[in-house]
Amino acid sequence: MGANWDLTDRKQTEETLRVTEERLRLALEAAHTGTFDWDVSSNQLISSRLYEELWGFKPGEFNGRRDAFLERVHTEDLPGISAELVRCIAARVPFMREFRIIWPDASMHWLMIRAEFSFDDESRPLQLRGVVMDITERKRHEEALQEARQKAEESNRIKSDFLANMSHEIRTPLNAIIGMTYLAKRSDPSPRQSQYLTKIGNAAESLLGITNDILDFSKIEAGKLQLEHIPFLLDDVLNNLNDIVSQKAEQKGIAIVFSIAREAPRYLVGDPLRLGQILINLLNNAIKFTDSGEIVVKVVAADVGPDSGIFKFSLSDTGIGMSSEQVAHLFQSFTQADTSFTRKYGGTGLGLAISKQLCELMGGSLTVESELGKGSTFHFTVTFNFVKGDLPIQPRARASELKKSVLVVDDDEDDRVELINMLYKNGFTARSASSGWGALSALAAASQAGKPIDLVVMGWRLPGVDGIENSRRVKAHLSHARVPAILMFSDLEQEEAMRGPADPAMDAFLVKPIQEADLLDAIATIFGMKPSGPISDTRGVAEDFPARLIGRRVLLVEDNEINRDLATELLGDLGILVSVAVNGREGVDRVLSEPFDLVLMDIQMPVMDGLTATRLIRGHQRLCGLPILAMTAHAMSGDRERCLHAGMNDHLTKPINPSGLRETLIRWLPAPSEAAPEIEAIPPLRSTAEVPVPAQSSPFDLKAALARTSGKPRLLRKMLLGFRDNYEHAATELNALIAEGRNEDAERLAHSLKGIAATLEARELAEAASSIEQALREGRTAGLGSLIDAAEKKLSLAIAAASLLDSTLPHD
């Protein structure tokens, strides 16, 4: 009986083991996994059927030798397998390896083995047991992903190269616009021209700022856009906004109204450029989709704390509006409300997407409310910190302390209400009249009541008698207890409205749409709280030219003619002697043959680029200390690093900021060791009228030359001496260069002579040098001798005058 039970137990155990093994086999086959057991001493391999199939063996083909499998391992992978086996035995760790095999049909497959050794008492390997899996499909996916990644990286590289080139191409003309605007503003333009130039400059600067990030689109896509945190005045952002969009709005007859809540802080810390970018995008859109009516820009502050606050902006228009379906897709990149919008109104649909992202980066959001045919209102919020410490008291802030009584005169009720609201908010007593006769009656009534009017804000377009004539009548009315000041406003520029010089009856003039800040500034000016007259825009203008820059030799390597002219002018204004090279190869040759104190190097040039030229210069031991500054339109991420890596000392981005150029030059052109230290206390300088002028007619326009040196005779003297010492024999040098066939060198010398002569206002000499330069540039050798002879006569007079002025102008 007991034997039967033992037999039964054994059979049950065997059955259980069989079932378990079958389940394991099915599981391994389902997982496409084969098993093996390798006896190390006999080199025999016991394997499953699936194991053999994975290696490409047919049923019954395998002979039981391990070498039969090794013969099918890819020759490049076999050494790695052998080395790994040795390592695993020595370290007594599991074996795991991925490798390739070649089947008899020449197809390649990937396998992965996971196995573990067993050892005897003397740590010798006995057996290796494990599993093998086919990972060919996985490897194919990985290779496909790798290929796709490489293609994506290549696509990104191509896009980055395109953006870099596009950035360069756009920034180059912007450099000319901004630079030439800067120079034009210094040439004593009329007030109207100065206003136009200011608007051109502001618009170009704004376009530059926006271009910097739109063209660097990879930065936006990656969410790596860096925000500035600098102090700024909210009113300045809105003023710039109005300058940029006002003309476009005026052309369509659309009124733009700005309303800033009185309690809203004005001195903020944040990114004014990005705030302006959002506002410009939204306001341009509003103008684009509005044919008549008005656009109202409102600013209020919410959740104002001691250090920061949330600012709520809204822009409401009376335009075409949008349906709910159109609104749903509005903030997607490159998407318009529908395809017909693009055909009719243009645009890429990118501006709103960028604006939304900027709002989110600034701690806020952007939303829209709109109804088809009834206009749209965009709302956005941003968070700003407040400026800490003492703040400068602005005239517009002090104007509210005046407590003046104001009369607003205009036939447009909306304009009257808006102006009165601005005045009320700032502590003024205000009333209104709709005509000139109504204004005279209101003035008389106030005077009789003992509360005379201090200021009349007069519209130019009035029914019957215009604002100019009404202003004269107000000023001439002798019965008034107090003659009020007149602030006139119009939708035309002052010269257009007045048809001539300003009328003495008018104390100030504003162009619509009137912003609150401009109104307060004008009132402050009228009542003596800041200097009257046009305000000079001195941003970027150097206040002084250190003596250390006078006469220093700088090589400008630049292929663009406009940029060369601009840089030569800016450098000449600093008293620097400029030489020019038009490509990197020419720049290297000149540096190796001539002494220079500093090199300004463009990057993208024909013949040889600036990076290659810099590396060649740095290859000469004696030139290792020569400052080389990149002056380039390349402003993408990494461009500065590439310049420094090539051996440059610094990186100036075009468009060139004059004050930034000056500061950089001072940093890299320290005062020569023999130069005396600059004296802080300088006695008052003589005016132009006090500067003696030679008896004969001077070839220099001293008044204009002094204006170029900010009225500094000492500086002018140093520039004249530098001119005399460096160009005294320029005509002889020109003839010698031409005789040697070095026309390009002669052209550079003529160009340099032209630049310094223009800087010193020796206009006839500058014109003569320009004629020589132009002839050489065009390859016209006939008549060059006579041109040089004519220039030599003017040069001789200029050299003699410079020597004479040396004794008459103040010395250091």
Short mmCIF file of all heavy atoms in Angstrom, two decimals, residues 216-239:
data_model
loop_
_atom_site.label_atom_id
_atom_site.label_comp_id
_atom_site.label_asym_id
_atom_site.label_seq_id
_atom_site.Cartn_x
_atom_site.Cartn_y
_atom_site.Cartn_z
N ASP A 216 14.82 85.24 -33.54
CA ASP A 216 15.40 84.18 -32.72
C ASP A 216 14.26 83.27 -32.26
O ASP A 216 14.04 83.05 -31.08
CB ASP A 216 16.11 84.79 -31.52
CG ASP A 216 17.06 83.81 -30.87
OD1 ASP A 216 17.19 82.69 -31.39
OD2 ASP A 216 17.66 84.15 -29.86
N PHE A 217 13.56 82.72 -33.25
CA PHE A 217 12.31 82.01 -32.95
C PHE A 217 12.54 80.73 -32.17
O PHE A 217 11.67 80.28 -31.42
CB PHE A 217 11.60 81.68 -34.27
CG PHE A 217 10.14 81.35 -34.10
CD1 PHE A 217 9.28 82.26 -33.54
CD2 PHE A 217 9.64 80.13 -34.51
CE1 PHE A 217 7.95 81.98 -33.38
CE2 PHE A 217 8.30 79.82 -34.36
CZ PHE A 217 7.45 80.75 -33.79
N SER A 218 13.71 80.15 -32.31
CA SER A 218 14.00 78.93 -31.57
C SER A 218 13.97 79.19 -30.08
O SER A 218 13.57 78.33 -29.28
CB SER A 218 15.37 78.37 -31.98
OG SER A 218 16.38 79.33 -31.74
N LYS A 219 14.37 80.41 -29.67
CA LYS A 219 14.34 80.76 -28.26
C LYS A 219 12.91 80.84 -27.75
O LYS A 219 12.59 80.39 -26.65
CB LYS A 219 15.03 82.11 -28.07
CG LYS A 219 15.20 82.53 -26.61
CD LYS A 219 15.68 83.97 -26.49
CE LYS A 219 17.02 84.17 -27.13
NZ LYS A 219 17.50 85.57 -26.96
N ILE A 220 12.02 81.38 -28.58
CA ILE A 220 10.62 81.47 -28.18
C ILE A 220 9.99 80.09 -28.11
O ILE A 220 9.27 79.76 -27.17
CB ILE A 220 9.84 82.37 -29.17
CG1 ILE A 220 10.41 83.80 -29.14
CG2 ILE A 220 8.36 82.39 -28.84
CD1 ILE A 220 9.78 84.72 -30.15
N GLU A 221 10.27 79.25 -29.13
CA GLU A 221 9.70 77.91 -29.14
C GLU A 221 10.15 77.11 -27.92
O GLU A 221 9.39 76.32 -27.37
CB GLU A 221 10.13 77.18 -30.42
CG GLU A 221 9.44 77.67 -31.68
CD GLU A 221 9.91 76.92 -32.91
OE1 GLU A 221 11.13 76.62 -32.98
OE2 GLU A 221 9.08 76.61 -33.76
N ALA A 222 11.39 77.31 -27.51
CA ALA A 222 11.94 76.54 -26.39
C ALA A 222 11.55 77.14 -25.04
O ALA A 222 11.88 76.57 -24.00
CB ALA A 222 13.45 76.48 -26.51
N GLY A 223 10.82 78.24 -25.06
CA GLY A 223 10.43 78.88 -23.81
C GLY A 223 11.58 79.48 -23.05
O GLY A 223 11.55 79.56 -21.81
N LYS A 224 12.64 79.88 -23.76
CA LYS A 224 13.83 80.42 -23.12
C LYS A 224 13.97 81.92 -23.28
O LYS A 224 15.06 82.47 -23.14
CB LYS A 224 15.08 79.71 -23.67
CG LYS A 224 15.14 78.23 -23.33
CD LYS A 224 16.40 77.59 -23.87
CE LYS A 224 16.45 76.10 -23.53
NZ LYS A 224 17.67 75.46 -24.06
N LEU A 225 12.88 82.59 -23.60
CA LEU A 225 12.93 84.04 -23.76
C LEU A 225 13.22 84.68 -22.40
O LEU A 225 12.53 84.43 -21.43
CB LEU A 225 11.58 84.54 -24.29
CG LEU A 225 11.52 86.00 -24.69
CD1 LEU A 225 12.36 86.26 -25.92
CD2 LEU A 225 10.09 86.41 -24.95
N GLN A 226 14.27 85.48 -22.34
CA GLN A 226 14.68 86.12 -21.10
C GLN A 226 14.08 87.52 -21.00
O GLN A 226 14.20 88.31 -21.92
CB GLN A 226 16.21 86.19 -21.02
CG GLN A 226 16.89 84.84 -21.01
CD GLN A 226 16.55 84.03 -19.77
OE1 GLN A 226 16.51 84.56 -18.66
NE2 GLN A 226 16.29 82.75 -19.96
N LEU A 227 13.44 87.80 -19.88
CA LEU A 227 12.85 89.11 -19.66
C LEU A 227 13.82 90.01 -18.90
O LEU A 227 14.56 89.54 -18.03
CB LEU A 227 11.55 88.99 -18.86
CG LEU A 227 10.40 88.25 -19.53
CD1 LEU A 227 9.22 88.16 -18.58
CD2 LEU A 227 9.97 88.92 -20.81
N GLU A 228 13.82 91.30 -19.25
CA GLU A 228 14.63 92.27 -18.51
C GLU A 228 13.90 92.71 -17.26
O GLU A 228 12.67 92.66 -17.17
CB GLU A 228 14.92 93.48 -19.39
CG GLU A 228 16.03 93.27 -20.39
CD GLU A 228 16.49 94.58 -21.00
OE1 GLU A 228 15.64 95.37 -21.41
OE2 GLU A 228 17.70 94.80 -21.07
N HIS A 229 14.64 93.16 -16.29
CA HIS A 229 14.07 93.74 -15.07
C HIS A 229 14.80 95.05 -14.82
O HIS A 229 15.77 95.11 -14.06
CB HIS A 229 14.19 92.78 -13.89
CG HIS A 229 13.37 91.54 -14.04
ND1 HIS A 229 12.02 91.49 -13.74
CD2 HIS A 229 13.69 90.31 -14.50
CE1 HIS A 229 11.56 90.28 -13.98
NE2 HIS A 229 12.55 89.55 -14.45
N ILE A 230 14.32 96.10 -15.49
CA ILE A 230 14.96 97.40 -15.40
C ILE A 230 13.90 98.45 -15.05
O ILE A 230 12.71 98.28 -15.32
CB ILE A 230 15.64 97.77 -16.73
CG1 ILE A 230 14.61 97.81 -17.87
CG2 ILE A 230 16.76 96.80 -17.05
CD1 ILE A 230 15.19 98.30 -19.19
N PRO A 231 14.32 99.56 -14.42
CA PRO A 231 13.35 100.62 -14.11
C PRO A 231 12.88 101.31 -15.39
O PRO A 231 13.66 101.51 -16.32
CB PRO A 231 14.16 101.59 -13.24
CG PRO A 231 15.37 100.84 -12.81
CD PRO A 231 15.66 99.84 -13.88
N PHE A 232 11.60 101.67 -15.44
CA PHE A 232 11.08 102.41 -16.59
C PHE A 232 9.83 103.17 -16.17
O PHE A 232 9.24 102.92 -15.12
CB PHE A 232 10.77 101.47 -17.76
CG PHE A 232 9.58 100.57 -17.56
CD1 PHE A 232 8.32 100.91 -18.02
CD2 PHE A 232 9.73 99.35 -16.90
CE1 PHE A 232 7.23 100.09 -17.83
CE2 PHE A 232 8.65 98.51 -16.71
CZ PHE A 232 7.39 98.88 -17.17
N LEU A 233 9.45 104.11 -17.02
CA LEU A 233 8.27 104.94 -16.78
C LEU A 233 7.16 104.47 -17.71
O LEU A 233 7.34 104.42 -18.93
CB LEU A 233 8.60 106.41 -17.03
CG LEU A 233 7.50 107.43 -16.71
CD1 LEU A 233 7.17 107.41 -15.23
CD2 LEU A 233 7.95 108.83 -17.12
N LEU A 234 6.02 104.13 -17.14
CA LEU A 234 4.90 103.62 -17.94
C LEU A 234 4.50 104.61 -19.01
O LEU A 234 4.18 104.23 -20.14
CB LEU A 234 3.72 103.30 -17.01
CG LEU A 234 2.45 102.80 -17.67
CD1 LEU A 234 2.70 101.49 -18.42
CD2 LEU A 234 1.35 102.60 -16.63
N ASP A 235 4.52 105.89 -18.69
CA ASP A 235 4.12 106.91 -19.66
C ASP A 235 5.02 106.91 -20.89
O ASP A 235 4.55 107.16 -22.02
CB ASP A 235 4.15 108.30 -19.01
CG ASP A 235 3.24 108.38 -17.80
OD1 ASP A 235 3.60 107.79 -16.77
OD2 ASP A 235 2.18 109.01 -17.88
N ASP A 236 6.31 106.60 -20.70
CA ASP A 236 7.23 106.57 -21.83
C ASP A 236 6.87 105.45 -22.79
O ASP A 236 6.97 105.60 -24.02
CB ASP A 236 8.67 106.39 -21.35
CG ASP A 236 9.19 107.63 -20.63
OD1 ASP A 236 8.61 108.71 -20.83
OD2 ASP A 236 10.17 107.51 -19.88
N VAL A 237 6.44 104.31 -22.24
CA VAL A 237 6.03 103.19 -23.09
C VAL A 237 4.82 103.59 -23.93
O VAL A 237 4.75 103.31 -25.13
CB VAL A 237 5.71 101.95 -22.23
CG1 VAL A 237 5.16 100.83 -23.10
CG2 VAL A 237 6.96 101.47 -21.50
N LEU A 238 3.86 104.26 -23.30
CA LEU A 238 2.64 104.66 -24.02
C LEU A 238 2.94 105.78 -25.02
O LEU A 238 2.34 105.82 -26.10
CB LEU A 238 1.57 105.09 -23.02
CG LEU A 238 1.09 103.99 -22.07
CD1 LEU A 238 0.04 104.53 -21.10
CD2 LEU A 238 0.54 102.80 -22.83
N ASN A 239 3.85 106.69 -24.67
CA ASN A 239 4.24 107.74 -25.62
C ASN A 239 4.86 107.13 -26.88
O ASN A 239 4.55 107.52 -28.00
CB ASN A 239 5.23 108.70 -24.97
CG ASN A 239 4.57 109.65 -23.99
OD1 ASN A 239 3.36 109.88 -24.06
ND2 ASN A 239 5.34 110.17 -23.05
#
